[in-house]
DNA sequence: GCAAGATGTGGGTATATACACATAAATAAA
DNA sequence: TTTATTTATGTGTATATACCCACATCTTGC
């Protein structure tokens, strides 16, 4: 066994390195790549619950709850009880919308740099390969 | 901005999903994919220091120190001062070697399943794409 | 309408990750 | 040789992630 051959560690390592770069690029907006992504899910979906966000992002519900708590503490999102009293619906605060506006061009910039480097064809290849790997592995 | 387009989140999500599968596959050996990888670095390198392991894996030194502490607590690795008294050299315990032996075929099995699905060509594509992305992004 | 099961969420615990700072030890400079 | 600098590591703090379990609420069967 060689670590360089492991598909899992290959992906894991690449994801961490890319995350560091995106985090650095988004730092002036005060959010990490992960937080920016979550803010965008909240913005895009309609008053999503914790569960809806977990499903959209493919993360565990408890993870989402904790990630949301961080954004809540920074007053980028707020939560209120839904019509179903078990659920909590999430929405952006004005500061949250502002953070998204500030981060969006920073994200676009680093994203475009990578897309230019890859080109359309290889970008499509990458998407296809990641989908193949994850669909090979979905849990029942 | 759409989360489905973000290269960083695409990779991050795929890495997490793959990690869950590898973790599940390796569970009978009592180690996670991440731990198995680290044990293999310890095994392959010659009495590596924390720094050497950090460089090999591309992780932060403090992360490595903490990951090693978990393996040390489970008595899969042990650490001793090197000739340079600042360093600590890491090596596998007998239980650590046993864990690697037990995990190796489990890893091989899930890895082969994915490789079969991908085929040689797309496997090479993936490796190339990940290297392109990470080399586009290496820190000074 | 009430009991039984299903569902959404939080909390406990553990691992993983990284940055900033502190400390000890080795090396270089004076 | 004494001092300054570099280097290896650990610690504090914060976020991210996931499993299991508890609890409250909703839904269904009767």
């Amino acid at each position: 066994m060689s670590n360089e051959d492991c598909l899992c560690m290959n992906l894991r390592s690449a994801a961490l390195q890319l995350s560091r770069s995106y985090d650095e690029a988004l730092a002036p907006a005060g959010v990490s790549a992960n937080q920016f992504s979550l803010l965008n899910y909240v913005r895009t979906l309609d008053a999503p619950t914790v569960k809806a966000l977990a499903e959209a992002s493919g993360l565990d519900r408890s993870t989402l709850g904790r990630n949301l708590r961080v954004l809540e503490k920074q007053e980028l999102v707020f939560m209120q009880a839904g019509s179903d009293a078990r659920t909590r619906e999430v929405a952006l605060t004005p500061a949250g919308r502002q953070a998204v506006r500030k981060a969006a061009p920073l994200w676009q910039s680093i994203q475009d740099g990578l897309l230019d480097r890859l080109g359309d064809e290889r970008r499509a290849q990458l998407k296809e390969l990641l989908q193949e790997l994850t669909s090979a592995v979905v849990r029942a």
Side-chain angles (χ1 to χ4, degrees), chain A:
Chain A
M1 185 280 180
S2 166
N3 277 313
E4 295 80 49
D5 294 333
C6 181
L7 291 166
C8 178
M9 296 314 292
N10 286 169
L11 266 188
R12 208 177 159 99
S13 173
L16 284 173
Q17 290 184 62
L18 221 52
S19 290
R20 285 184 218 119
S21 286
Y22 275 71
D23 285 350
E24 191 181 355
L26 297 185
V31 293
S32 67
N34 202 46
Q35 292 169 341
F36 180 54
S37 166
L38 182 47
L39 290 175
N40 271 300
Y41 278 122
V42 173
R43 182 177 63 83
T44 309
L45 305 174
D46 182 45
T49 62
V50 176
K51 179 178 169 62
L53 289 166
E55 282 169 357
S57 62
L59 298 175
D60 190 86
R61 287 188 309 267
S62 68
T63 300
L64 251 291
R66 287 179 162 104
N67 290 358
L68 285 170
R69 213 174 302 171
V70 174
L71 296 178
E72 205 180 9
K73 192 174 59 179
Q74 299 170 350
E75 300 185 348
L76 301 178
V77 304
F78 67 97
M79 325 218 354
Q80 51 188 353
S83 54
D84 182 335
R86 291 171 301 182
T87 67
R88 297 211 298 154
E89 295 177 350
V90 192
L92 296 185
T93 64
R97 280 189 292 275
Q98 175 61 25
V100 170
R101 272 194 299 273
K102 196 166 174 190
L106 303 174
W107 172 83
Q108 193 73 55
S109 176
I110 185 170
Q111 173 85 2
D112 282 350
L114 289 175
L115 288 179
D116 282 354
R117 225 181 138 115
L118 281 184
D120 285 348
E121 188 185 349
R122 291 199 295 171
R123 199 277 175 271
Q125 272 181 15
L126 179 64
K127 201 170 185 84
E128 196 272 327
L129 286 168
L130 294 182
Q131 275 171 354
E132 179 72 21
L133 282 173
T134 54
S135 73
V137 127
V138 280
R139 66 171 59 246

